[in-house]
Amino acid sequence: MSTNDQRAFDAILSMAQNLLRRTSTKTGLAITPEMIDAELNKLEMLMEDDFAVVDREQLVDELIRRYSHTVGRNATLSDDSDHVPWLTAERKRDWLYWRRYSEYMEAKIPLVALDALDEATDEVLGHLEDPNREGDWDRRGLVVGHVQSGKTGNYTGLICKAADAGYKIVIVLAGLHNNLRAQTQIRLDEGFLGFATLANVEDLPAVGVGLIDADHSIRPNYATNRTENGDFTKAAAAKLGVTPEQRPWLFVVKKNKTVLERLLGWIRNRVADYTDPVTGRKIVTNLPILVIDDESDHGSVDTGEDVVDENGKPDLEHQPTTINRLIRSILNHFARSAYVGYTATPFANIFIHDKGTTEEHGPDLFPAAFITNLAAPSNYIGPGRVFGSASSTAADLPLTRPLAEAEYAPWVPPKHRNGFRPKWNGSAKIPVSLEEAIRSFIYACAVRKLRGQGNRHSSMLVHVTRFTSVQNEVVGQIAEYVRELRGRYQRGIDLAETESLMHSEYEEKFRPGMARIRTELVEDEKLADFAWAQIREVLPDVIADIKVREINGSAKDALDYVDNEGTGLKVIAVGGDKLARGLTLEGLCTSYFLRTARMYDTLMQMGRWFGYRDGYLDVCRLYTTHELIEWFGHIADAAEELRQEFDNMVAAGATPKDFGLRVKSHSVLTVTSRAKMRNARPMSFTYSGDLLQTIVFPNRADEIGLNFKAADRFISGLGTAHDLNEQQHLVEGQKWSGHLWRNIPAQQVTTFLRAYRTHPASFRIMSPLIADFIDEMNKDGELTSWTVALIGKDSASAEDEAVIAGLKLAMLTRRKTVDHDDRYSIKTLISPRDQAIDLTEGQWKAALELSRETWRRDTERNEGKEPPTEPRGPATRKVLGEGWSKSGVPAVPKRGLLMLYLLDPAASEIPALKGADPIVAFAISFPGSSSERRVSNAAYMANSVMWGALNDWVD
């Protein structure tokens, strides 16, 4: 599709969406294919020329896909102290920048997503201050999205609305590298400025919103341009001046010491209109400023020591680290300022000290005004869907191709030095696994070409080392392999063996994989399938179009997507840090990823494969290590736990300063860099409100046997068991298979926990530590009485049955996630509903009510499109421990729930466990509690807000 054809296609889409919206609103009916067809018939009479150059069937498919999407609900924690509500429909009535951006986005995203964008940006802007409000004010917030989920589009919309409202200076802090800054500038050229900020060109061509509204009188001013070196320069600082009457100014700058110092100097010398007679600080009183901090967890966080003294009071003479100091200083020079950080990985932001204020730099960047969690649209593919939900394991993940160590380590070992030269079987060439990944990318490009997406960008990411010298070697080896393939298909020399390999590989692996992905992950989209003969026909041209680029700080290559807009760039991008964060790889289909960063935020940001893959998700593949798959699964769980905690705080009406987040740690992963965590300490912590479940077990039969005997003794001493389906509190329609005991003294539970041996790799689930916590809580009269449930599989055959303490139970089957030499690891143990065992009817209803209130309809969080019909775990634990005020359910923090399971050792597929006793696993649901009882361990890290609440620091 040519550029003109694409414009015609987009124009029809935009018009059709508006007509369909009006029809649906007027009739109250859902959009149907018949309705779409009828509206297109009307448009065809008006847009005959446009319809002549587009594929009508493709239009129908795209509209059906768009109207099948849903968008979840956002959630916000806010503190409205010294805030005056101001954003009304009347105030928005004559806004121009937002109107044209909204119209520009109509052709790009479904109207339901556009409505969600409008709502989300209103939410954020409304928590900022009215730029016309007199006096001094400062608002600081954080917007948390998903990786590659459209944060740039969100803050572009926010900038448009802020400029309409009256913010005069907008500064966007756009990463640490020139290419990321330039990419952001290009996006803002299209979405806000309306013209291409080319260097040394007087007549700047209209782009994006400028093609919708060419009125030069509303054009914003700009101080930076879209070239690689288009940052805020010394020349611009010397001649640039602003006045209150001028249109808004946009600055897109790097988080770079020289650039930010230059910007700060310009503000002091050319913008400030008042000098504080006491401090001598120059202040801008007549221009409200909005600072957007993209990837705000990266580069912006103060990693200096001693933010507060030993009494918890701010050290007013503390010297923040450079970038943090400069951002705060810029804000501190404005009497009216707003700061909004954007990130998908807030693990560093939540460790910012909420009291980190200095006289020179003002308050730290803690989001004291608000934190907004953005929900993902239903077509977003993130870690929760790539690496599996609680019910799937790594072996079940259709998008991933796990690599055994032997498939990559001889080529690029996990540990190597700068100057290392990769070799495979003694030659300077890529390994077989990377050859396979490149062929996978070629198939993806061929399928997309056959689907009419040949003029769209397609990218492959290769990320195997942080050293540029090694990256350079990798580029050469990949380029040589692509040259060989190109030559064979163009000249037909030595082609037979290669073609035979690719033919069988496509038909036996790639094509069946496509079908599986369509079945499991693609919703409401018709994706055409192709036989090898069709792929073979376009293969020579596809291979000929592929470019290999080195993307790092020393290479001169660039991802020139804009220059190839009409034809589509087909690129294999080899890089390091420049590809690790923020930089968007357009049309990313294939990733070969070996980099082993061990920080939650860095590792998650390296996952550039997350995002939107409409029309080609089934051709996407991720080649990575078993270990990385396990780590990403852990991070996805940690992020979800953070979001669940957040949702509960929102339901309770808390503020950001009340938000004492706890972030799960990992045996080999740190939450974020140690420097960013100087304000976080290993702490005495609580299990209150938590679910603990064993997912790591020994792979030796004798150790399994010891735990079985411990459980057998424990169960034998519990007395007469109730059948789970005869319990007195059974909620109608809920059935379990197993046995139940009530009012079990805590001492019996702790005796079992101290006898049970958790695996050393299970750093969070340490049974003796859990027993210590229960003992501590008993001192306050809590967790003194326990319900114990022995839970089996609902439907089972005689082969599944086992006996423990004389009781029959159907064993669960849990597949191992990753091969380990020393352990058997599973993804999850319990069924989500198991925590609701033994709830009274009132508690069940209260927990269900809270579950629905905190439901966000977020597909990425595996929440589904319909409200929950059963209580979710976090809600159940809150209701049991803290009560739920809206339902008047009393708290019962004295009672804990211990759930016991038997796992079938045969399902582990570990030879050493053949014939072993059933594997005893347990889960504990702790009710929430306000008790200050704690146990000491570093398994969780707490932010400064939580410390202040606990007053319980541990060095």
Side-chain angles (χ1 to χ4, degrees):
M1 193 183 295
S2 68
T3 302
N4 288 335
D5 291 353
Q6 186 65 52
R7 285 177 181 164
F9 189 88
D10 290 346
I12 296 171
L13 269 184
S14 181
M15 292 288 288
Q17 285 194 133
N18 279 304
L19 285 175
L20 288 164
R21 170 187 267 177
R22 292 192 190 100
T23 302
S24 179
T25 302
K26 184 177 180 180
T27 62
L29 299 174
I31 306 295
T32 63
E34 292 75 20
M35 194 184 295
I36 289 171
D37 199 52
E39 297 301 341
L40 288 178
N41 286 338
K42 296 176 188 175
L43 280 177
E44 191 165 9
M45 292 186 286
L46 300 173
M47 307 173 71
E48 188 176 346
D49 291 343
D50 289 333
F51 270 85
V53 296
V54 302
D55 184 335
R56 183 184 172 111
E57 186 176 343
Q58 192 176 349
L59 270 172
V60 172
D61 288 346
E62 176 66 13
L63 286 165
I64 290 174
R65 181 185 65 78
R66 289 188 174 203
Y67 280 99
S68 68
H69 293 331
T70 59
V71 180
R73 296 184 299 127
N74 304 325
T76 297
L77 284 174
S78 64
D79 183 348
D80 289 337
S81 303
D82 192 36
H83 174 61
V84 179
W86 63 280
L87 188 57
T88 63
E90 183 180 2
R91 184 70 180 273
K92 292 177 60 177
R93 187 178 299 156
D94 298 323
W95 284 3
L96 297 173
Y97 297 121
W98 166 252
R99 178 191 57 74
R100 65 179 192 170
Y101 181 63
S102 175
E103 188 174 337
Y104 170 66
M105 293 300 289
E106 279 181 1
K108 296 182 175 294
I109 60 176
L111 282 182
V112 64
L114 185 58
D115 290 341
L117 175 64
D118 189 14
E119 183 179 336
T121 47
D122 270 5
E123 173 87 8
V124 175
L125 185 64
H127 284 298
L128 302 180
E129 216 55 55
D130 181 351
N132 298 330
R133 178 185 166 188
E134 296 296 327
D136 295 359
W137 45 261
D138 176 83
R139 297 286 285 177
R140 306 197 180 189
L142 178 68
V143 177
V144 182
H146 297 280
V147 176
Q148 295 285 86
S149 65
K151 294 185 299 299
T152 305
N154 186 284
Y155 69 66
T156 301
L158 177 63
I159 288 169
C160 290
K161 289 183 175 181
D164 279 321
Y167 280 89
K168 293 298 183 183
I169 294 181
V170 177
I171 297 174
V172 179
L173 305 171
L176 304 179
H177 300 292
N178 281 330
N179 60 347
L180 179 55
R181 191 215 65 82
Q183 175 184 276
T184 303
Q185 179 83 54
I186 289 170
R187 294 284 299 275
L188 289 168
D189 284 0
E190 295 169 347
F192 176 52
L193 295 179
F195 51 90
T197 53
L198 303 172
N200 304 315
V201 175
E202 286 190 17
D203 189 13
L204 300 177
V207 295
V209 295
L211 297 172
I212 293 170
D213 188 340
D215 184 359
H216 283 226
S217 68
I218 66 166
R219 276 190 168 190
N221 297 296
Y222 69 102
T224 54
N225 66 59
R226 61 167 54 196
T227 64
E228 284 275 317
N229 299 314
D231 214 328
F232 190 61
T233 63
K234 187 182 296 184
K239 65 183 181 182
L240 190 63
V242 299
T243 66
E245 292 76 31
Q246 287 183 302
R247 298 186 294 277
W249 280 86
L250 175 67
F251 298 75
V252 182
V253 299
K254 291 193 304 295
K255 297 180 193 179
N256 171 276
K257 178 177 181 289
T258 302
V259 172
L260 293 179
E261 283 180 341
R262 188 179 296 143
L263 184 56
L264 182 59
W266 173 76
I267 290 168
R268 285 173 176 156
N269 299 322
R270 290 188 170 267
V271 188
D273 61 330
Y274 175 76
T275 302
D276 188 310
V278 177
T279 64
R281 180 166 60 99
K282 293 183 177 181
I283 304 173
V284 182
T285 65
N286 57 346
L287 296 173
I289 185 175
L290 170 63
V291 174
I292 301 290
D293 190 352
D294 194 8
E295 309 292 355
S296 61
D297 62 310
H298 193 46
S300 305
V301 177
D302 181 12
T303 56
E305 297 188 42
D306 302 324
V307 173
V308 295
D309 63 22
E310 64 274 10
N311 297 315
K313 294 182 179 179
D315 177 3
L316 298 182
E317 296 182 357
H318 165 73
Q319 287 298 312
T321 47
T322 302
I323 302 302
N324 175 272
R325 167 178 59 83
L326 290 166
I327 296 171
R328 289 163 61 182
S329 294
I330 287 170
L331 291 164
N332 205 34
H333 277 75
F334 285 79
R336 295 178 287 164
S337 64
Y339 167 91
V340 183
Y342 276 79
T343 183
T345 50
F347 301 113
N349 299 81
I350 64 172
F351 293 123
I352 297 173
H353 206 291
D354 66 305
K355 295 179 181 176
T357 300
T358 68
E359 289 183 351
E360 181 182 354
H361 314 107
D364 206 341
L365 302 178
F366 183 84
F370 67 92
I371 305 173
T372 293
N373 249 335
L374 298 177
S378 57
N379 61 326
Y380 172 72
I381 303 296
R385 299 179 76 184
V386 173
F387 295 102
S389 66
S391 60
S392 64
T393 66
D396 295 326
L397 305 177
L399 289 170
T400 61
R401 158 71 161 87
L403 296 172
E405 191 169 341
E407 294 185 275
Y408 64 86
W411 178 60
V412 176
K415 293 183 179 180
H416 58 273
R417 297 186 176 184
N418 199 7
F420 173 79
R421 293 181 177 274
K423 290 187 177 182
W424 184 253
N425 293 333
S427 301
K429 63 179 184 179
I430 59 176
V432 173
S433 60
L434 181 49
E435 291 180 350
E436 178 191 324
I438 292 170
R439 293 193 298 271
S440 172
F441 177 58
I442 292 170
Y443 305 143
C445 292
V447 169
R448 296 196 71 192
K449 185 179 182 71
L450 291 169
R451 285 179 181 165
Q453 301 169 6
N455 66 329
R456 307 282 181 88
H457 303 307
S458 294
S459 303
M460 176 177 178
L461 162 67
V462 177
H463 205 318
V464 298
T465 177
R466 66 187 178 88
F467 298 116
T468 56
S469 64
V470 184
Q471 291 166 25
N472 184 259
E473 292 286 328
V474 171
V475 166
Q477 293 178 17
I478 291 175
E480 178 60 29
Y481 180 68
V482 173
R483 272 195 298 271
E484 287 179 9
L485 286 179
R486 184 183 298 129
R488 288 173 185 176
Y489 272 96
Q490 286 180 342
R491 294 190 296 272
I493 301 173
D494 298 328
L495 179 60
E497 185 177 347
T498 299
E499 182 161 4
S500 175
L501 168 67
M502 294 181 71
H503 182 180
S504 62
E505 186 176 60
Y506 176 80
E507 290 289 3
E508 295 171 16
K509 292 182 180 179
F510 193 82
R511 194 178 179 191
M514 289 169 59
R516 187 172 165 219
I517 292 169
R518 288 197 296 269
T519 299
E520 296 185 23
L521 292 177
V522 176
E523 296 181 5
D524 303 306
E525 235 186 331
K526 294 179 181 178
L527 300 181
D529 194 24
F530 302 99
W532 170 253
Q534 295 165 286
I535 298 293
R536 175 63 179 85
E537 190 173 338
V538 299
L539 218 51
D541 290 341
V542 165
I543 298 173
D545 285 339
I546 291 175
K547 314 293 182 187
V548 183
R549 300 280 169 82
E550 181 179 357
I551 309 299
N552 56 46
S554 59
K556 294 181 180 179
D557 287 350
L559 296 175
D560 46 349
Y561 293 117
V562 174
D563 295 339
N564 291 272
E565 201 64 51
T567 58
L569 184 66
K570 280 72 176 173
V571 63
I572 300 175
V574 181
D577 292 340
K578 279 195 173 186
L579 292 180
R581 177 183 284 268
L583 188 66
T584 298
L585 294 167
E586 302 284 352
L588 181 61
C589 300
T590 314
S591 298
Y592 190 89
F593 191 88
L594 304 181
R595 179 86 176 267
T596 54
R598 299 195 174 197
M599 295 178 290
Y600 279 15
D601 48 4
T602 303
L603 192 57
M604 188 65 83
Q605 287 288 355
M606 286 178 177
R608 309 320 300 168
W609 48 82
F610 305 133
Y612 302 98
R613 302 290 182 267
D614 293 342
Y616 64 99
L617 177 63
D618 58 338
V619 301
C620 295
R621 299 292 186 275
L622 166 60
Y623 290 72
T624 192
T625 67
H626 285 283
E627 188 176 39
L628 277 171
I629 290 172
E630 189 176 34
W631 285 357
F632 269 105
H634 181 83
I635 294 168
D637 291 344
E640 176 54 24
E641 184 174 287
L642 183 152
R643 287 177 183 271
Q644 288 180 355
E645 183 77 11
F646 185 92
D647 290 340
N648 282 337
M649 297 289 281
V650 172
T655 69
K657 286 193 176 183
D658 298 324
F659 192 21
L661 281 170
R662 296 178 300 169
V663 179
K664 196 184 297 183
S665 73
H666 190 278
S667 55
V668 286
L669 282 162
T670 55
V671 173
T672 182
S673 74
R674 295 186 184 279
K676 292 176 186 175
M677 290 175 64
R678 292 188 191 278
N679 290 323
R681 312 278 174 88
M683 61 171 287
S684 292
F685 69 102
T686 176
Y687 285 123
S688 292
D690 279 359
L691 170 68
L692 305 181
Q693 54 179 322
T694 47
I695 57 173
V696 181
F697 309 95
N699 59 3
R700 291 175 48 182
D702 57 341
E703 294 183 41
I704 293 295
L706 289 173
N707 281 342
F708 183 82
K709 289 176 182 177
D712 187 86
R713 286 194 304 271
F714 171 56
I715 294 169
S716 295
L718 295 178
T720 304
H722 300 279
D723 187 294
L724 269 176
N725 288 323
E726 295 174 2
Q727 57 175 306
Q728 64 190 44
H729 300 320
L730 183 68
V731 177
E732 186 176 352
Q734 299 301 316
K735 293 185 180 298
W736 284 272
S737 175
H739 311 276
L740 183 78
W741 296 263
R742 289 197 182 87
N743 302 317
I744 303 302
Q747 186 177 356
Q748 283 184 257
V749 174
T750 56
T751 298
F752 163 67
L753 289 171
R754 289 193 169 96
Y756 185 100
R757 298 184 181 181
T758 45
H759 194 279
S762 179
F763 274 70
R764 187 186 178 209
I765 313 298
M766 293 169 278
S767 52
L769 190 68
I770 300 169
D772 289 346
F773 173 71
I774 295 171
D775 286 344
E776 279 295 309
M777 297 297 282
N778 288 172
K779 295 175 183 178
D780 285 339
E782 297 192 20
L783 299 178
T784 55
S785 178
W786 284 74
T787 296
V788 178
L790 179 62
I791 306 169
K793 190 158 57 174
D794 287 341
S795 57
S797 63
E799 295 177 353
D800 298 323
E801 241 178 35
V803 177
I804 186 168
L807 299 171
K808 290 184 178 180
L809 191 76
M811 294 183 290
L812 306 184
T813 55
R814 293 289 187 268
R815 295 173 61 184
K816 61 184 176 183
T817 54
V818 178
D819 284 316
H820 288 293
D821 294 333
D822 65 336
R823 60 193 184 272
Y824 161 44
S825 298
I826 63 175
K827 174 70 177 175
T828 193
L829 173 63
I830 75 167
S831 170
R833 71 190 184 106
D834 287 356
Q835 293 179 75
I837 285 174
D838 207 31
L839 290 182
T840 66
E841 186 173 358
Q843 290 163 349
W844 174 282
K845 289 180 178 178
L848 180 57
E849 179 187 1
L850 178 56
S851 297
R852 287 175 170 170
E853 180 156 336
T854 56
W855 170 71
R856 303 292 169 209
R857 196 173 58 194
D858 194 332
T859 307
E860 168 58 17
R861 297 173 64 183
N862 300 297
E863 289 188 325
K865 295 182 179 180
E866 300 298 328
T869 57
E870 297 178 348
R872 293 163 63 188
T876 297
R877 300 191 295 273
K878 184 175 180 64
V879 165
L880 280 175
E882 300 168 25
W884 180 230
S885 58
K886 293 186 179 181
S887 301
V889 175
V892 284
K894 293 182 179 181
R895 192 175 83 212
L897 174 62
L898 171 63
M899 295 160 278
L900 299 171
Y901 304 82
L902 299 181
L903 306 185
D904 186 350
S908 71
E909 300 176 350
I910 296 174
L913 295 184
K914 186 177 182 181
D917 288 322
I919 301 167
V920 175
F922 71 81
I924 301 180
S925 179
F926 285 104
S929 173
S930 58
S931 170
E932 294 187 3
R933 296 287 179 180
R934 302 290 184 265
V935 287
S936 296
N937 191 266
Y940 266 71
M941 309 300 287
N943 74 343
S944 59
V945 172
M946 181 174 278
W947 300 352
L950 300 178
N951 193 25
D952 191 12
W953 298 18
V954 176
D955 291 323

